[in-house]
Amino acid sequence: MEFFIDTAIVDEIREINAWGVLSGVTTNPSLIVASGRDFREVVQEISELVGGAISAEVTALDAEGMIREGKEVAAWSEHVVVKLPLTPAGLQACKALTDAGIKTNVTLCFSVPQALLAARAGATYISPFAGRVDDIGWDGVELIRQIKEAYVLAGLETKVLAASIRHPTHVVQSALAGADVATIPYKVFTQMIKHPLTQAGLDGFMKDWAKRAGADAHTPPSEAGSNPQTGGVDAQGGQKK
């Protein structure tokens, strides 16, 4: 399963991209507004930074407007994927843009029938909203699983992009449900990387390293000298034997 980040804050994207785990970015009008910057400027900067699929959403509500806006947005970068709402107009625009060779991400999906319609309209990605489905008492991850199963049985190539991810468990569940992609908020990425045993283990290793180098346990490793078993310069600057 690929990882996208769901944000338009460039500093957040830059930080997570440095981990080497990102394949793309998803944005929406709300995220662009939160960034406080120009839509085109943000999309182009993100495209240069990440280089993967960058979802940029149209704001028109009619098919003609979506098609026109989608073509304009797609021209900003070769990495742009035009994001469209799952409405009759959105499906019509999806079909037209797909026929024009433009990749699409059909968003605001909350049912399998909607997902099947989007796939038949040629969507590159379908974005079921796991968290929002959970909010109304249904099972968002089960929706992802059913969509993926329906696509496999029908031989449909649309990729299932798990969206509205609220916590690391959603990421795990989406992977096990067969999602092709999960778009994850910055906060959840920072939660995924942390584990108390990882930090405890690292702290223990560093204390042991400092002791083996002949320094106090609280001395930073960079000041503790070299491992006596590997040669190099000792704490007094002499050559190890």
Side-chain angles (χ1 to χ4, degrees):
M1 184 174 73
E2 292 182 315
F3 291 154
F4 291 1
I5 186 169
D6 192 35
T7 184
I9 306 299
V10 174
D11 285 345
E12 293 180 349
I13 297 168
R14 183 177 291 109
E15 178 182 341
I16 304 303
N17 189 55
W19 296 2
V21 301
L22 287 185
S23 297
V25 179
T26 55
T27 70
N28 60 44
S30 297
L31 293 174
I32 293 294
V33 169
S35 76
R37 297 178 58 192
D38 176 74
F39 184 23
R40 178 172 181 169
E41 178 184 88
V42 171
V43 169
Q44 290 180 325
E45 183 173 354
I46 293 171
S47 297
E48 293 176 1
L49 180 63
V50 177
I54 312 299
S55 286
E57 190 164 350
V58 301
T59 54
L61 297 178
D62 62 295
E64 183 178 344
M66 289 182 192
I67 295 168
R68 181 176 60 253
E69 191 176 338
K71 289 180 177 179
E72 177 184 350
V73 171
W76 294 348
S77 168
E78 63 179 332
H79 302 296
V80 165
V81 176
V82 177
K83 204 170 180 182
L84 302 160
L86 217 166
T87 63
L91 293 179
Q92 184 177 340
C94 179
K95 175 61 175 174
L97 292 172
T98 298
D99 288 346
I102 295 172
K103 294 182 179 179
T104 57
N105 176 1
V106 177
T107 188
L108 295 172
C109 175
F110 298 98
S111 74
V112 177
Q114 287 182 319
L116 290 170
L117 289 170
R120 288 302 180 189
T124 310
Y125 299 94
I126 184 69
S127 290
F129 277 36
R132 292 197 194 183
V133 171
D134 287 351
D135 289 344
I136 61 171
W138 296 355
D139 189 336
V141 173
E142 176 62 14
L143 172 61
I144 291 169
R145 187 195 66 76
Q146 290 180 0
I147 291 172
K148 183 62 179 181
E149 183 177 353
Y151 281 2
V152 170
L153 290 173
L156 297 168
E157 296 182 356
T158 299
K159 293 184 177 181
V160 179
L161 192 160
S164 189
I165 298 294
R166 301 284 175 79
H167 42 70
T169 302
H170 263 160
V171 179
V172 175
Q173 292 172 332
S174 296
L176 295 175
D180 299 288
V181 185
T183 187
I184 305 169
Y186 171 81
K187 178 181 178 181
V188 177
F189 268 113
T190 62
Q191 292 170 338
M192 289 171 64
I193 194 68
K194 294 178 182 178
H195 194 284
L197 294 180
T198 300
Q199 189 59 50
L202 182 60
D203 291 344
F205 292 157
M206 291 300 97
K207 287 182 180 179
D208 289 342
W209 177 261
K211 291 176 182 177
R212 287 173 65 83
D216 183 87
H218 299 291
T219 302
S222 60
E223 300 176 12
S226 300
N227 187 330
Q229 295 184 349
T230 63
V233 179
D234 64 19
Q236 287 73 43
Q239 188 69 27
K240 292 291 185 180
K241 302 297 184 183

